[in-house]
Structures are given as structure tokens and as C-alpha cells.
Amino acid sequence: MSEITTLEDLKEAIAPAAEAAPAEPKLDKFGRAYATGKRKNAVARVWIKPGSGRISINGRALEVYFARPVLRMILNQPLVTAAREKQYDITATVVGGGLSGQAGAIRHGISRALTFFEPGLRPALKKEGFLTRDSRVVERKKYGKAKARRSFQFSKR
């Protein structure tokens, strides 16, 4: 074995790393991409497949399930960022939490499913922060306190 004295010798000694193969889409037997999204106490299971842009949540239409426009906007953010509105049919089942947490969970699930369907979208979605699970949850109540941090009223006498 030859002695490594220069940087060039080191480059030659290290085996050339295999070229990173382009990521393959992760699809099920029905041609759908599946992902789980979470936010607060809500957990969403999301399936996407090529289609006309129909979004179904727990068997109901998007407009029926999320009546507030803000929640619908949150849900559509990954599709708008990836410029894929009206290209995928989305089916989601979501349990736990309130409507705001459920909308965030579905957004997280849609983002992850998009990266499984089209791995090339990952950098754009990651940059916007849609792939990061928002870890903020409600703080638990402590003993000796009225709520998580609120103390009982103090009285000197």
C-alpha cells in the first residue's frame, strides 16, 4: 500500500462515491402516493394521484369540511408553491385536534406526498418549511398552578 502524503493521493485512495441516482417516486399499486401529516394533536393520512384537482377530506368536499377560507388557503399552500393546483386528486382522512390543527396536518401530509410523487419538488417545499413537522403542542398543566403557567391569586393575609 502506498503512503498518502498529498491531497491528490488521498483523492485517488478514496473509492469514487456512487453517483446519486435520481429519486424514484414511491407509489402504491393504485398509482397513488401516501403520506402522514401531523400538527398539534391532529393526524392526517393523505393520498394523492393525478386527476382534476378534487380534494376530499373524511369523505366530504373541501368547501364543506373547511368552511373558513383561511383553512382552505393553508391546505392549498404546498400545491400553489409547487404550481400543481388542479393536477392531483387528494383524499385525506384526519382525526384529532381542532380544525386549525387538522388543516396544518393535511398541509404537512400533502407536502410529503408531493415529494413522494415528484421527488424534484422537495427543495421548493423544504424551502417554504412545509416538510417540517410543527412540533409546538399545548403545554401541560402543572400541579400547584391554575393552568400551565397561571398561578393562583396571591394574598398576603
Side-chain angles (χ1 to χ4, degrees):
M1 181 161 171
S2 64
E3 195 171 315
I4 299 173
T5 55
T6 66
L7 192 58
E8 295 301 321
D9 295 338
L10 181 63
K11 285 181 185 175
E12 292 171 10
I14 296 174
E19 289 290 321
E24 294 286 323
K26 296 180 185 174
L27 305 178
D28 63 7
K29 63 182 178 182
F30 301 110
R32 304 176 302 186
Y34 167 79
T36 305
K38 296 181 180 180
R39 169 86 167 90
K40 292 186 176 179
N41 278 338
V43 179
R45 300 183 303 159
V46 179
W47 292 268
I48 66 168
K49 64 179 180 180
S52 60
R54 190 181 56 79
I55 300 176
S56 167
I57 299 155
N58 289 353
R60 291 188 267 172
L62 173 67
E63 292 75 22
V64 175
Y65 197 85
F66 291 119
R68 290 192 295 176
V70 173
L71 299 178
R72 292 198 297 259
M73 181 205 66
I74 287 172
L75 207 115
N76 282 316
Q77 283 175 333
L79 297 169
V80 171
T81 301
R84 299 291 190 271
E85 309 100 318
K86 308 290 185 209
Q87 289 188 21
Y88 292 109
D89 285 345
I90 299 169
T91 306
T93 59
V94 61
V95 293
L99 287 178
S100 173
Q102 288 183 352
I106 294 172
R107 178 179 84 171
H108 186 223
I110 289 172
S111 303
R112 291 185 63 196
L114 277 172
T115 61
F116 293 150
F117 205 92
E118 293 185 55
L121 296 177
R122 184 172 171 82
L125 294 172
K126 182 116 175 110
K127 181 175 175 265
E128 294 296 321
F130 297 142
L131 297 176
T132 305
R133 197 264 199 230
D134 191 349
S135 61
R136 296 175 297 167
V137 292
V138 176
E139 190 175 348
R140 74 177 275 284
K141 182 193 177 302
K142 280 72 167 192
Y143 55 87
K145 296 277 190 178
K147 296 183 349 185
R149 297 184 180 204
R150 169 96 167 89
S151 297
F152 297 110
Q153 184 170 345
F154 176 76
S155 173
K156 195 177 265 189
R157 307 188 214 310

